[in-house]
Amino acid sequence: MAQKVKIDIDGKLIDMPVLEASEGFNVLDVRDLINEGIFTYDPGFLSTASCDSKVTFIDGDKGILLYRGYPIEQLAEKSSHLEVSYLLLHGELPTKTQLETFENSINQHMQIDKQFAKLFDGFNESSHPMAMVCAAIAGLASLYHDDLDISDPEYQMKAAIQLIAKIPTIAAMAYRKSIGKDFIDPDPELTYAENFLHMCFGESGETASVSKTLSRALDKIFILHADHEQNASTSTVRMAGSTECNPFAAIAAGTAALWGPSHGGANEAVLGMLIEISEISRIDEYIKRAKDKEDPFKLMGFGHRVYKNFDPRATVMQSSAHAVLEEQGASNDPLLSVAQSLERIAREQEYFVERKLYPNIDFYSGITLKAMGIPVPMFTVIFTLGRMPGWITHWKEMVSSPFKIARPRQLYLGENSRNYIDINKR
Ligand code: SDX
């Protein structure tokens, strides 16, 4: 039965159109409400659909995450990041030939030319890698602007390939810069995740030697981060892209948004928190602080705007964390026991239970990345690398059909109109 909604504005009954979803919530179409002289009000967009999309579906109550209809658990187990990137971009899983062609085109575009690489000379070694990555992604717009035509499907796919191909190289360059080492070129013989690890931890002039376990675990982390419907950074990409700007600039805007500790920066903040707590005996003190409204401290890696029972990615991440810790002989990492105790204690506390605050993907991804030897400042860069196909898919979905510039309104609470006062009368 189609949902019906009427609203009464000063006695005038208005039938509000309801648009039906294929999964999840329907939406109230309020686009014409402006003609009734009233706006909707939803800071933070808790109850607002900013667009329609066919890419990813999340059911926050049931802990369901589907990329183009495929459950995240199956993709994490059976697929690869490049196959998931193809799926997100094209809407269907590739045939063997399609996947090989896609992988080859990514491989052919991973190299960053030497002139562009000079961008990194401008950074200090102490610069945060996310600042370098953000600047480098925006800088790519300088290479791909002359043929800019966002309405051309060929240009859209070319931009997608360039971004997915170059983000591992840019990410690795940021890391190498931060440790004062030369850049290492991508090796076309390696898989996507192997290449990233090789470009980070390899030695110039030596053949690559990358752990299959680590590269598989990293590829799974990329898959888990690949997309997440209209999160803050993806919404930023859509907002920026709605002005018809260069897609590389729109993605740079999304990268900046991801950096915040409330969003993609949480994985780095989780490690900072665990290191600060440092031992199980201090957990209660921090739980108390997390509940104290006067204290800005929050349990990083806990809570989610959409997931209200569990984050299915955190479940996959947790099992992957144990496998990596086992392989790295770090199963007795004290930070892991602090994390496990923190999770258990938080789950028992009314404050967290009634607010449905559970560990999200960032809680365990940080521990896994640390066990893999990834430096903490690189954690959000890894998130950026994983999320790249999702961002560019949403940009492509938006520009592939008629769209309007995103231009929200406001509830104005400022001064009423008043006359200018001469300075000597103030
Ligand atoms: C990601 O949107 C996505 O899809 C994001 C993401 C993706 O893949 O793109 O999933 C990735 O960003 C995961 C989230 C990573 N962030 C963190 O782990 C940071 C810690 N979490 C919080 O900052 C918070 O939970 C958010 C930002 C994730 C969600 O914030 P909301 O939905 O705006 O919820 P809220 O801040 O209004 O919190 C509701 C209540 C409040 O208490 P009351 O005012 O009702 O008494 O819960 C409390 C909050 O104070 N609360 C927390 C808490 N998170 C919420 N209290 C302590 N610790 C926390 N972590």
Side-chain angles (χ1 to χ4, degrees):
M1 161 80 163
Q3 276 175 308
K4 293 247 182 290
V5 176
K6 282 184 193 298
I7 58 169
D8 178 335
I9 300 182
D10 299 334
K12 181 184 174 188
L13 262 186
I14 297 157
D15 277 315
M16 296 297 290
V18 173
L19 305 180
E20 296 219 335
S22 57
E23 283 266 7
F25 289 15
N26 295 332
V27 299
L28 192 57
D29 184 347
V30 296
R31 282 174 289 185
D32 291 339
L33 208 51
I34 191 168
N35 303 326
E36 304 299 334
I38 194 165
F39 293 147
T40 60
Y41 180 67
D42 186 14
F45 309 120
L46 286 96
S47 300
T48 294
S50 59
C51 63
D52 54 68
S53 177
K54 295 176 179 159
V55 180
T56 290
F57 174 72
I58 303 174
D59 182 321
D61 292 327
K62 297 183 188 138
I64 290 172
L65 171 57
L66 309 176
Y67 291 166
R68 297 290 191 180
Y70 293 96
I72 190 64
E73 296 83 356
Q74 294 179 26
L75 293 170
E77 187 54 40
K78 301 174 179 163
S79 188
S80 69
H81 187 58
L82 287 188
E83 183 177 73
V84 164
S85 300
Y86 183 100
L87 170 65
L88 289 170
L89 278 168
H90 294 275
E92 297 297 338
L93 287 168
T95 62
K96 203 167 175 339
T97 311
Q98 286 169 331
L99 181 57
E100 278 165 10
T101 307
F102 185 72
E103 286 170 340
N104 291 337
S105 61
I106 295 294
N107 254 337
Q108 284 154 20
H109 291 91
M110 287 188 84
Q111 187 62 55
I112 295 275
D113 77 40
K114 300 294 175 249
Q115 176 60 26
F116 186 85
K118 288 178 182 165
L119 175 82
F120 285 86
D121 294 346
F123 300 119
N124 297 323
E125 285 183 16
S126 58
S127 305
H128 195 290
M130 275 302 283
M132 296 193 245
V133 168
C134 212
I137 293 172
L140 289 175
S142 67
L143 304 178
Y144 307 107
H145 193 67
D146 299 344
D147 59 343
L148 177 67
D149 178 357
I150 65 171
S151 64
D152 174 8
E154 209 177 304
Y155 177 87
Q156 294 167 8
M157 197 49 88
K158 209 170 85 177
I161 295 283
Q162 289 288 9
L163 281 156
I164 296 169
K166 288 181 162 56
I167 188 60
T169 315
I170 285 171
M173 290 166 90
Y175 172 61
R176 299 290 286 194
K177 174 69 188 183
S178 70
I179 58 172
K181 284 198 167 183
D182 292 344
F183 300 144
I184 293 192
D185 290 336
D187 177 344
E189 298 308 310
L190 300 177
T191 65
Y192 193 73
E194 286 172 345
N195 237 328
F196 172 67
L197 290 171
H198 167 60
M199 291 188 283
C200 282
F201 303 116
E203 290 304 330
S204 294
E206 289 185 11
T207 47
S209 66
V210 177
S211 149
K212 291 287 181 201
T213 309
L214 292 192
S215 56
R216 177 72 196 116
L218 189 59
D219 197 72
K220 190 180 279 191
I221 289 173
F222 293 156
I223 291 172
L224 294 173
H225 287 83
D227 193 49
H228 216 235
E229 60 134 276
Q230 306 310 322
N231 59 85
S233 53
T234 301
S235 299
T236 303
V237 169
R238 281 179 173 261
M239 168 79 82
S242 76
T243 69
E244 301 178 65
C245 72
N246 184 304
F248 295 85
I251 298 290
T255 307
L258 184 77
W259 193 1
S262 292
H263 188 15
N267 52 21
E268 178 178 348
V270 165
L271 252 291
M273 175 186 73
L274 292 176
I275 291 165
E276 186 184 334
I277 295 175
S278 71
E279 50 191 75
I280 291 173
S281 61
R282 299 183 65 200
I283 288 177
D284 286 343
E285 170 200 338
Y286 282 85
I287 293 268
K288 196 157 158 278
R289 286 187 56 193
K291 297 185 208 174
D292 177 359
K293 289 296 161 222
E294 300 311 309
D295 188 330
F297 174 78
K298 287 192 169 175
L299 278 193
M300 300 318 281
F302 277 76
H304 198 278
R305 171 62 60 76
V306 179
Y307 291 123
K308 295 306 173 192
N309 286 308
F310 66 96
D311 181 336
R313 304 167 299 174
T315 311
V316 177
M317 200 73 250
Q318 195 177 15
S319 61
S320 179
H322 288 300
V324 169
L325 287 160
E326 200 69 38
E327 141 103 359
Q328 297 294 86
S331 300
N332 54 1
D333 181 341
L335 291 183
L336 179 65
S337 31
V338 171
Q340 288 168 326
S341 306
L342 182 62
E343 179 185 1
R344 184 176 44 73
I345 295 168
R347 281 177 180 276
E348 290 160 0
Q349 306 252 331
E350 190 49 34
Y351 173 92
F352 293 91
V353 174
E354 70 186 15
R355 290 171 179 77
K356 299 176 182 279
L357 301 177
Y358 300 92
N360 57 50
I361 186 167
D362 294 298
F363 189 67
Y364 278 99
S365 64
I367 296 160
T368 310
L369 292 170
K370 178 178 175 295
M372 296 172 73
I374 305 274
V376 175
M378 283 292 289
F379 286 7
T380 310
V381 172
I382 300 284
F383 196 144
T384 304
L385 208 163
R387 185 54 51 92
M388 188 57 72
W391 284 335
I392 194 67
T393 295
H394 280 278
W395 171 81
K396 184 171 172 296
E397 181 179 59
M398 179 181 73
V399 300
S400 298
S401 44
F403 63 98
K404 298 179 83 62
I405 188 168
R407 204 282 185 211
R409 300 305 302 275
Q410 63 179 9
L411 168 65
Y412 177 67
L413 297 176
E415 295 291 340
N416 300 113
S417 176
R418 51 184 173 162
N419 294 321
Y420 183 81
I421 302 164
D422 287 341
I423 191 156
N424 40 21
K425 290 185 184 155
R426 290 176 205 161

